[in-house]
Amino acid sequence: MVTEKVFQRNVISRCKKLGCFVAKMEAVGQAGFPDLLIIYQGKSLYLELKSPKGTGKLSALQELMHKELRAAGAWVEVAQDIETVERLLEKLL
């Protein structure tokens, strides 16, 4: 099984190969913020990654943060496998 760290590196690499700007997010004072911000031609996606070997469930803080971001008009998604990431990138591109 792939760890979340390896999964994240693979996603970042894939996004950069497609010409996306990718930032690993660590919002100080904002617990639950999604792992990655992916931007392509003015469109942005906040992406939470969950390890395929983990539970795949969001914490209560993550659920709240995602709800707040969506209320502000942000596109927020959760991915647990590369196939989901690929489908999301197709929508972004």
Side-chain angles (χ1 to χ4, degrees), residues 13-41:
S13 176
R14 178 71 179 127
C15 291
K16 287 183 176 182
K17 284 180 184 174
L18 292 170
C20 299
F21 169 85
V22 184
K24 183 177 179 315
M25 304 302 292
E26 292 183 26
V28 177
Q30 296 291 322
F33 206 83
D35 297 313
L36 301 176
L37 170 59
I38 303 166
I39 302 173
Y40 184 78
Q41 294 185 351

Side-chain angles (χ1 to χ4, degrees), residues 4 7 17 28-29 33-34 40 43 50-51 54 56 69 74 80-81 93:
E4 188 170 324
F7 181 37
K17 284 180 184 174
V28 177
F33 206 83
Y40 184 78
K43 297 179 282 186
K50 292 295 182 186
S51 170
L69 286 167
Q80 194 171 357
D81 54 55
L93 304 179

Side-chain angles (χ1 to χ4, degrees), residues 32 34 48 58 62-70 76 78:
E48 180 69 42
L58 297 174
Q62 288 172 322
E63 287 180 6
L64 178 61
M65 178 58 68
H66 293 192
K67 181 179 177 181
E68 289 177 0
L69 286 167
R70 287 182 180 118
V76 183
V78 179

